[in-house]
Amino acid sequence: MDRSAPIGVFDSGIGGLTVVRELVKQLPNESILYFGDTARVPYGPKSPDTVLRYSREIVAFLRSQGVKAIVVACNTATAHALPALREENDLPIIGVIEPGARAAAAATRTKRVGVIGTAGTVKSAAYEKEIKRLLPDAFVFSQACPLFVPLIEEGWMDEDPTRLIAERYLTPVAEANTDAVVLGCTHYPLLKSVIGRVVGRDVRLIDSAEETARETAGTLRSNNLDAERADQACYRFIASDAPETFLRVGQRFLGSSIDRVETVTLG
Ligand code: DGL
């Protein structure tokens, strides 16, 4: 495999750009091909079978584009599809749940951990299982926060309705006396300050994106797949629908501007 080939990154839509942001920061030599399934977002409320089918289609597309490794930058897709994708493909595939769970296990002192995510991620109990594999006597309190995704995509990071909804969702997390809370959804890093205010300033918020980028770096290195040239990184963004919205809203997630979005329809 060509070491200068891009890393394929996919998400149900725009949110996975929070992972791209970290990849660009930590792996500046790597090229990235991002696929956001904006035609079929959200994955959060969909069944595991549907999310697995979508994920398989995206992986086949990314492989057809010659990627050297794949980052599943979507918590819901990681929860429902990662084991099958790894079994079916002979290239490194990195998800967001193992790195996030590892960071939470390292951060907690009281072994009381909160996990917030989409309905699908919480129902799968994937974070809970992984945290308990690392810390068998941990107490994990999970809470689905489905209204956060549309609020964030609307740009309402610190509006009154967002604060009220955050209080409603997160007061039980605060009352569970957790000392670390995993932001188990691609969008939630953008809501860090509101979430932090409700769960308490002394609670560590775990951003899976940072940990996932670190794990990706390690995986590329151990497979001799890390890019060798420093001046060749290029980025391609593909959406399955509404590229103008991707372009406009995506900047908020990526933290820098996107010049061009291609459209590719799957399924
Ligand atoms: N990307 C999804 C995740 O991280 C959130 C958006 C959706 O529901 O598709 O779980």
Side-chain angles (χ1 to χ4, degrees):
M1 177 54 79
D2 176 6
R3 297 173 80 142
S4 64
I7 305 171
V9 181
F10 79 90
D11 177 46
S12 55
I14 301 167
L17 292 172
T18 53
V19 178
V20 174
R21 180 185 191 145
E22 280 302 321
L23 287 169
V24 170
K25 202 154 96 188
Q26 294 188 36
L27 299 166
N29 297 346
E30 299 294 342
S31 293
I32 293 174
L33 169 56
Y34 182 89
F35 185 92
D37 199 4
T38 47
R40 303 187 289 197
V41 70
Y43 283 8
K46 295 199 169 76
S47 72
D49 283 353
T50 299
V51 174
L52 175 58
R53 178 160 53 85
Y54 292 171
S55 302
R56 281 184 170 135
E57 286 170 8
I58 299 169
V59 165
F61 168 72
L62 290 172
R63 295 201 68 174
S64 76
Q65 302 296 301
V67 300
K68 63 182 175 185
I70 291 177
V71 177
V72 185
C74 174
N75 292 262
T76 312
T78 302
H80 296 324
L82 187 68
L85 296 177
R86 279 184 172 157
E87 217 175 281
E88 295 160 7
N89 291 279
D90 56 356
L91 80 177
I93 304 190
I94 298 112
V96 282
I97 292 182
E98 287 162 9
R102 205 175 317 120
T108 182
R109 296 285 162 261
T110 59
K111 298 187 182 171
R112 296 181 71 84
V113 179
V115 174
I116 57 174
T118 65
T121 299
V122 167
K123 200 161 165 215
S124 76
Y127 270 108
E128 189 170 340
K129 283 181 209 147
E130 189 58 24
I131 293 167
K132 286 192 170 161
R133 196 180 62 77
L134 300 165
L135 284 181
D137 53 344
F139 166 79
V140 180
F141 185 92
S142 302
Q143 174 72 49
C145 309
L147 293 173
F148 280 172
V149 167
L151 286 167
I152 293 165
E153 292 203 357
E154 196 61 29
W156 290 14
M157 311 309 170
D158 207 358
E159 312 278 321
D160 288 341
T162 312
R163 285 194 287 268
L164 278 175
I165 289 167
E167 270 168 33
R168 181 81 182 257
Y169 282 146
L170 302 175
T171 300
V173 181
E175 286 174 354
N177 284 322
T178 52
D179 73 342
V181 171
V182 181
L183 306 176
C185 173
T186 48
H187 289 56
Y188 299 175
L190 276 82
L191 217 56
K192 252 184 188 165
S193 60
V194 169
I195 294 170
R197 246 177 275 149
V198 182
V199 297
R201 287 280 169 231
D202 43 348
V203 172
R204 284 278 304 276
L205 298 182
I206 310 293
D207 182 344
S208 298
E210 287 172 20
E211 299 304 323
T212 302
R214 219 161 294 159
E215 171 142 339
T216 305
T219 303
L220 292 181
R221 232 178 291 121
S222 61
N223 286 282
N224 294 321
L225 283 174
D226 46 330
E228 289 164 309
R229 297 271 308 261
D231 53 350
Q232 289 193 329
C234 60
Y235 307 110
R236 242 180 105 193
F237 298 96
I238 301 175
S240 51
D241 195 13
E244 349 41 71
T245 315
F246 188 103
L247 209 60
R248 184 169 43 80
V249 183
Q251 305 196 356
R252 211 181 293 145
F253 288 81
L254 188 62
S256 61
S257 62
I258 301 171
D259 309 328
R260 200 169 97 84
V261 179
E262 300 163 50
T263 310
V264 171
T265 313
L266 301 179

Short mmCIF file of all heavy atoms in Angstrom, two decimals, residues 10-14 35-47 49-61 74 76-77 149 153 238-242 263-267:
data_model
loop_
_atom_site.label_atom_id
_atom_site.label_comp_id
_atom_site.label_asym_id
_atom_site.label_seq_id
_atom_site.Cartn_x
_atom_site.Cartn_y
_atom_site.Cartn_z
N PHE A 10 -15.11 8.71 7.52
CA PHE A 10 -16.53 8.92 7.22
C PHE A 10 -17.37 9.14 8.46
O PHE A 10 -17.03 8.75 9.56
CB PHE A 10 -17.11 7.80 6.34
CG PHE A 10 -17.45 6.51 7.06
CD1 PHE A 10 -18.72 6.32 7.61
CD2 PHE A 10 -16.54 5.48 7.13
CE1 PHE A 10 -19.06 5.11 8.22
CE2 PHE A 10 -16.87 4.28 7.76
CZ PHE A 10 -18.13 4.09 8.31
N ASP A 11 -18.49 9.81 8.21
CA ASP A 11 -19.47 10.11 9.25
C ASP A 11 -20.85 10.15 8.61
O ASP A 11 -20.97 10.21 7.38
CB ASP A 11 -19.14 11.48 9.89
CG ASP A 11 -20.18 11.89 10.93
OD1 ASP A 11 -20.54 11.04 11.76
OD2 ASP A 11 -20.66 13.04 10.89
N SER A 12 -21.88 10.16 9.44
CA SER A 12 -23.24 10.28 8.93
C SER A 12 -23.47 11.64 8.26
O SER A 12 -24.41 11.80 7.51
CB SER A 12 -24.22 10.11 10.08
OG SER A 12 -23.93 11.05 11.10
N GLY A 13 -22.62 12.61 8.55
CA GLY A 13 -22.83 13.93 7.95
C GLY A 13 -21.63 14.83 8.17
O GLY A 13 -20.50 14.49 7.78
N ILE A 14 -21.89 15.94 8.85
CA ILE A 14 -20.86 16.97 8.99
C ILE A 14 -20.02 16.78 10.25
O ILE A 14 -18.87 17.19 10.32
CB ILE A 14 -21.57 18.36 9.07
CG1 ILE A 14 -22.40 18.57 7.79
CG2 ILE A 14 -20.62 19.49 9.28
CD1 ILE A 14 -23.37 19.72 7.88
N PHE A 35 -15.92 11.44 3.71
CA PHE A 35 -17.26 11.22 3.15
C PHE A 35 -18.30 11.47 4.25
O PHE A 35 -18.30 10.82 5.29
CB PHE A 35 -17.40 9.77 2.65
CG PHE A 35 -18.71 9.53 1.95
CD1 PHE A 35 -18.84 9.71 0.58
CD2 PHE A 35 -19.85 9.18 2.68
CE1 PHE A 35 -20.06 9.52 -0.06
CE2 PHE A 35 -21.07 9.00 2.05
CZ PHE A 35 -21.18 9.16 0.68
N GLY A 36 -19.19 12.43 4.01
CA GLY A 36 -20.29 12.72 4.95
C GLY A 36 -21.60 12.29 4.30
O GLY A 36 -21.95 12.79 3.23
N ASP A 37 -22.32 11.38 4.97
CA ASP A 37 -23.53 10.83 4.37
C ASP A 37 -24.74 11.74 4.62
O ASP A 37 -25.75 11.33 5.22
CB ASP A 37 -23.77 9.42 4.92
CG ASP A 37 -24.71 8.61 4.04
OD1 ASP A 37 -25.12 9.11 2.97
OD2 ASP A 37 -25.03 7.46 4.43
N THR A 38 -24.63 12.97 4.13
CA THR A 38 -25.66 13.99 4.42
C THR A 38 -27.03 13.64 3.85
O THR A 38 -28.04 14.17 4.31
CB THR A 38 -25.20 15.35 3.85
OG1 THR A 38 -24.74 15.15 2.50
CG2 THR A 38 -24.06 15.94 4.65
N ALA A 39 -27.07 12.72 2.87
CA ALA A 39 -28.38 12.31 2.32
C ALA A 39 -29.15 11.44 3.31
O ALA A 39 -30.37 11.37 3.26
CB ALA A 39 -28.19 11.55 1.01
N ARG A 40 -28.43 10.77 4.22
CA ARG A 40 -29.10 9.78 5.07
C ARG A 40 -28.94 10.07 6.56
O ARG A 40 -29.36 9.28 7.41
CB ARG A 40 -28.59 8.37 4.73
CG ARG A 40 -28.79 8.07 3.24
CD ARG A 40 -28.48 6.65 2.87
NE ARG A 40 -27.05 6.34 2.90
CZ ARG A 40 -26.52 5.27 2.29
NH1 ARG A 40 -27.30 4.44 1.64
NH2 ARG A 40 -25.22 5.04 2.34
N VAL A 41 -28.31 11.23 6.89
CA VAL A 41 -28.17 11.64 8.28
C VAL A 41 -29.58 11.92 8.84
O VAL A 41 -30.44 12.35 8.06
CB VAL A 41 -27.26 12.91 8.37
CG1 VAL A 41 -27.93 14.15 7.80
CG2 VAL A 41 -26.73 13.14 9.76
N PRO A 42 -29.93 11.69 10.09
CA PRO A 42 -29.07 11.20 11.16
C PRO A 42 -29.06 9.67 11.23
O PRO A 42 -30.02 9.02 10.87
CB PRO A 42 -29.76 11.77 12.41
CG PRO A 42 -31.22 11.78 12.07
CD PRO A 42 -31.27 12.08 10.59
N TYR A 43 -27.92 9.13 11.73
CA TYR A 43 -27.81 7.70 11.97
C TYR A 43 -28.32 7.37 13.40
O TYR A 43 -28.68 6.24 13.67
CB TYR A 43 -26.35 7.24 11.88
CG TYR A 43 -25.78 7.09 10.47
CD1 TYR A 43 -26.47 7.51 9.34
CD2 TYR A 43 -24.53 6.50 10.30
CE1 TYR A 43 -25.92 7.35 8.06
CE2 TYR A 43 -23.98 6.33 9.03
CZ TYR A 43 -24.67 6.76 7.92
OH TYR A 43 -24.12 6.60 6.67
N GLY A 44 -28.28 8.37 14.27
CA GLY A 44 -28.58 8.15 15.70
C GLY A 44 -29.86 7.38 15.96
O GLY A 44 -29.86 6.44 16.76
N PRO A 45 -30.99 7.72 15.32
CA PRO A 45 -32.23 6.99 15.61
C PRO A 45 -32.43 5.73 14.76
O PRO A 45 -33.43 5.04 14.94
CB PRO A 45 -33.33 8.02 15.29
CG PRO A 45 -32.68 9.13 14.54
CD PRO A 45 -31.22 8.88 14.47
N LYS A 46 -31.51 5.42 13.84
CA LYS A 46 -31.74 4.30 12.91
C LYS A 46 -31.31 2.96 13.52
O LYS A 46 -30.54 2.92 14.48
CB LYS A 46 -31.00 4.55 11.59
CG LYS A 46 -31.57 5.77 10.85
CD LYS A 46 -31.22 5.82 9.40
CE LYS A 46 -32.03 6.89 8.67
NZ LYS A 46 -31.58 8.26 8.91
N SER A 47 -31.83 1.87 12.93
CA SER A 47 -31.54 0.53 13.49
C SER A 47 -30.09 0.14 13.20
O SER A 47 -29.49 0.61 12.22
CB SER A 47 -32.47 -0.50 12.87
OG SER A 47 -32.09 -0.71 11.52
N ASP A 49 -28.95 -2.52 11.86
CA ASP A 49 -28.80 -3.12 10.52
C ASP A 49 -28.68 -2.06 9.43
O ASP A 49 -27.90 -2.19 8.50
CB ASP A 49 -30.02 -4.01 10.20
CG ASP A 49 -29.93 -5.33 10.92
OD1 ASP A 49 -28.88 -5.60 11.54
OD2 ASP A 49 -30.92 -6.09 10.87
N THR A 50 -29.51 -1.02 9.55
CA THR A 50 -29.47 0.06 8.55
C THR A 50 -28.12 0.77 8.60
O THR A 50 -27.50 1.02 7.56
CB THR A 50 -30.63 1.04 8.80
OG1 THR A 50 -31.84 0.31 8.66
CG2 THR A 50 -30.62 2.19 7.82
N VAL A 51 -27.66 1.09 9.81
CA VAL A 51 -26.38 1.80 9.95
C VAL A 51 -25.23 0.93 9.43
O VAL A 51 -24.32 1.43 8.76
CB VAL A 51 -26.14 2.24 11.42
CG1 VAL A 51 -24.76 2.84 11.61
CG2 VAL A 51 -27.22 3.23 11.86
N LEU A 52 -25.30 -0.38 9.65
CA LEU A 52 -24.27 -1.28 9.14
C LEU A 52 -24.29 -1.29 7.61
O LEU A 52 -23.23 -1.23 6.96
CB LEU A 52 -24.49 -2.69 9.70
CG LEU A 52 -23.55 -3.79 9.17
CD1 LEU A 52 -22.08 -3.45 9.44
CD2 LEU A 52 -23.88 -5.14 9.81
N ARG A 53 -25.48 -1.34 7.04
CA ARG A 53 -25.58 -1.35 5.56
C ARG A 53 -24.99 -0.07 4.98
O ARG A 53 -24.19 -0.11 4.04
CB ARG A 53 -27.06 -1.50 5.17
CG ARG A 53 -27.32 -1.47 3.67
CD ARG A 53 -28.67 -2.10 3.33
NE ARG A 53 -29.77 -1.52 4.07
CZ ARG A 53 -30.44 -0.42 3.73
NH1 ARG A 53 -30.10 0.23 2.65
NH2 ARG A 53 -31.43 0.03 4.47
N TYR A 54 -25.35 1.08 5.55
CA TYR A 54 -24.80 2.36 5.06
C TYR A 54 -23.27 2.37 5.20
O TYR A 54 -22.54 2.79 4.30
CB TYR A 54 -25.37 3.54 5.86
CG TYR A 54 -26.85 3.83 5.69
CD1 TYR A 54 -27.47 4.76 6.52
CD2 TYR A 54 -27.61 3.20 4.70
CE1 TYR A 54 -28.83 5.06 6.37
CE2 TYR A 54 -28.96 3.50 4.56
CZ TYR A 54 -29.57 4.42 5.40
OH TYR A 54 -30.89 4.72 5.27
N SER A 55 -22.80 1.88 6.35
CA SER A 55 -21.35 1.92 6.62
C SER A 55 -20.60 1.05 5.62
O SER A 55 -19.52 1.43 5.13
CB SER A 55 -21.05 1.45 8.05
OG SER A 55 -21.74 2.26 8.98
N ARG A 56 -21.16 -0.12 5.31
CA ARG A 56 -20.51 -1.01 4.32
C ARG A 56 -20.42 -0.32 2.96
O ARG A 56 -19.40 -0.42 2.28
CB ARG A 56 -21.33 -2.30 4.16
CG ARG A 56 -21.09 -3.28 5.28
CD ARG A 56 -21.86 -4.56 5.00
NE ARG A 56 -21.49 -5.61 5.91
CZ ARG A 56 -22.36 -6.41 6.53
NH1 ARG A 56 -23.66 -6.27 6.33
NH2 ARG A 56 -21.93 -7.34 7.34
N GLU A 57 -21.48 0.37 2.57
CA GLU A 57 -21.47 1.06 1.27
C GLU A 57 -20.38 2.13 1.24
O GLU A 57 -19.67 2.30 0.26
CB GLU A 57 -22.83 1.71 1.00
CG GLU A 57 -23.92 0.71 0.64
CD GLU A 57 -25.32 1.32 0.62
OE1 GLU A 57 -25.45 2.56 0.73
OE2 GLU A 57 -26.28 0.56 0.49
N ILE A 58 -20.27 2.85 2.34
CA ILE A 58 -19.27 3.94 2.39
C ILE A 58 -17.85 3.37 2.36
O ILE A 58 -16.98 3.87 1.66
CB ILE A 58 -19.49 4.84 3.63
CG1 ILE A 58 -20.88 5.49 3.57
CG2 ILE A 58 -18.40 5.91 3.72
CD1 ILE A 58 -21.30 6.19 4.84
N VAL A 59 -17.63 2.30 3.12
CA VAL A 59 -16.30 1.69 3.14
C VAL A 59 -15.94 1.19 1.74
O VAL A 59 -14.81 1.40 1.27
CB VAL A 59 -16.22 0.55 4.20
CG1 VAL A 59 -14.99 -0.32 3.99
CG2 VAL A 59 -16.21 1.16 5.60
N ALA A 60 -16.88 0.58 1.03
CA ALA A 60 -16.61 0.11 -0.33
C ALA A 60 -16.24 1.30 -1.23
O ALA A 60 -15.30 1.23 -2.03
CB ALA A 60 -17.82 -0.63 -0.88
N PHE A 61 -16.98 2.41 -1.07
CA PHE A 61 -16.66 3.60 -1.88
C PHE A 61 -15.26 4.12 -1.54
O PHE A 61 -14.45 4.38 -2.44
CB PHE A 61 -17.71 4.69 -1.66
CG PHE A 61 -17.28 6.00 -2.24
CD1 PHE A 61 -17.26 6.19 -3.62
CD2 PHE A 61 -16.84 7.04 -1.42
CE1 PHE A 61 -16.82 7.38 -4.18
CE2 PHE A 61 -16.40 8.24 -1.98
CZ PHE A 61 -16.39 8.40 -3.35
N CYS A 74 -17.77 8.42 13.37
CA CYS A 74 -19.17 8.55 13.78
C CYS A 74 -19.37 7.55 14.91
O CYS A 74 -19.07 6.35 14.74
CB CYS A 74 -20.08 8.21 12.60
SG CYS A 74 -21.84 8.14 13.01
N THR A 76 -22.16 6.48 16.26
CA THR A 76 -23.24 5.53 16.02
C THR A 76 -22.77 4.44 15.05
O THR A 76 -23.03 3.25 15.27
CB THR A 76 -24.48 6.26 15.45
OG1 THR A 76 -24.73 7.42 16.26
CG2 THR A 76 -25.69 5.38 15.46
N ALA A 77 -22.06 4.82 14.00
CA ALA A 77 -21.55 3.83 13.04
C ALA A 77 -20.50 2.94 13.70
O ALA A 77 -20.45 1.73 13.45
CB ALA A 77 -20.97 4.53 11.81
N VAL A 149 -27.93 17.30 18.42
CA VAL A 149 -27.40 17.34 17.04
C VAL A 149 -28.07 18.45 16.22
O VAL A 149 -27.38 19.32 15.67
CB VAL A 149 -27.49 15.95 16.35
CG1 VAL A 149 -27.25 16.06 14.86
CG2 VAL A 149 -26.46 15.00 16.97
N GLU A 153 -26.26 21.87 14.73
CA GLU A 153 -26.23 22.14 13.28
C GLU A 153 -26.89 23.47 12.96
O GLU A 153 -26.57 24.13 11.98
CB GLU A 153 -26.86 20.98 12.51
CG GLU A 153 -26.00 19.75 12.63
CD GLU A 153 -26.17 18.72 11.55
OE1 GLU A 153 -27.04 18.90 10.68
OE2 GLU A 153 -25.44 17.71 11.59
N ILE A 238 -16.40 14.98 0.45
CA ILE A 238 -17.50 14.49 -0.37
C ILE A 238 -18.75 14.38 0.50
O ILE A 238 -18.68 13.90 1.65
CB ILE A 238 -17.17 13.10 -0.96
CG1 ILE A 238 -15.89 13.18 -1.80
CG2 ILE A 238 -18.34 12.57 -1.79
CD1 ILE A 238 -15.40 11.85 -2.34
N ALA A 239 -19.88 14.86 -0.01
CA ALA A 239 -21.15 14.72 0.70
C ALA A 239 -22.11 13.96 -0.21
O ALA A 239 -22.01 14.06 -1.44
CB ALA A 239 -21.72 16.10 1.04
N SER A 240 -23.05 13.21 0.40
CA SER A 240 -24.00 12.47 -0.46
C SER A 240 -25.20 13.34 -0.83
O SER A 240 -26.03 12.92 -1.63
CB SER A 240 -24.43 11.16 0.21
OG SER A 240 -24.88 11.38 1.52
N ASP A 241 -25.30 14.54 -0.25
CA ASP A 241 -26.37 15.47 -0.61
C ASP A 241 -26.04 16.86 -0.05
O ASP A 241 -25.19 16.98 0.83
CB ASP A 241 -27.71 14.97 0.00
CG ASP A 241 -28.91 15.65 -0.62
OD1 ASP A 241 -28.76 16.31 -1.67
OD2 ASP A 241 -30.02 15.52 -0.06
N ALA A 242 -26.71 17.87 -0.55
CA ALA A 242 -26.65 19.25 -0.04
C ALA A 242 -25.24 19.76 0.24
O ALA A 242 -24.90 20.13 1.37
CB ALA A 242 -27.50 19.37 1.23
N THR A 263 -20.11 15.87 -4.71
CA THR A 263 -21.30 15.08 -4.35
C THR A 263 -21.20 13.69 -4.95
O THR A 263 -20.93 13.56 -6.15
CB THR A 263 -22.59 15.76 -4.86
OG1 THR A 263 -22.56 17.12 -4.46
CG2 THR A 263 -23.84 15.11 -4.29
N VAL A 264 -21.39 12.66 -4.11
CA VAL A 264 -21.43 11.28 -4.59
C VAL A 264 -22.62 10.61 -3.92
O VAL A 264 -22.78 10.70 -2.69
CB VAL A 264 -20.12 10.52 -4.21
CG1 VAL A 264 -20.26 9.02 -4.50
CG2 VAL A 264 -18.93 11.09 -4.97
N THR A 265 -23.49 9.99 -4.72
CA THR A 265 -24.66 9.32 -4.15
C THR A 265 -24.38 7.82 -4.03
O THR A 265 -23.87 7.22 -4.97
CB THR A 265 -25.87 9.53 -5.09
OG1 THR A 265 -25.89 10.91 -5.43
CG2 THR A 265 -27.17 9.15 -4.42
N LEU A 266 -24.72 7.25 -2.90
CA LEU A 266 -24.53 5.80 -2.69
C LEU A 266 -25.89 5.14 -2.52
O LEU A 266 -26.87 5.79 -2.20
CB LEU A 266 -23.70 5.55 -1.43
CG LEU A 266 -22.29 6.14 -1.36
CD1 LEU A 266 -21.66 5.79 -0.03
CD2 LEU A 266 -21.43 5.64 -2.51
N GLY A 267 -25.91 3.82 -2.66
CA GLY A 267 -27.12 3.06 -2.34
C GLY A 267 -28.17 3.09 -3.44
O GLY A 267 -28.02 3.69 -4.46
#
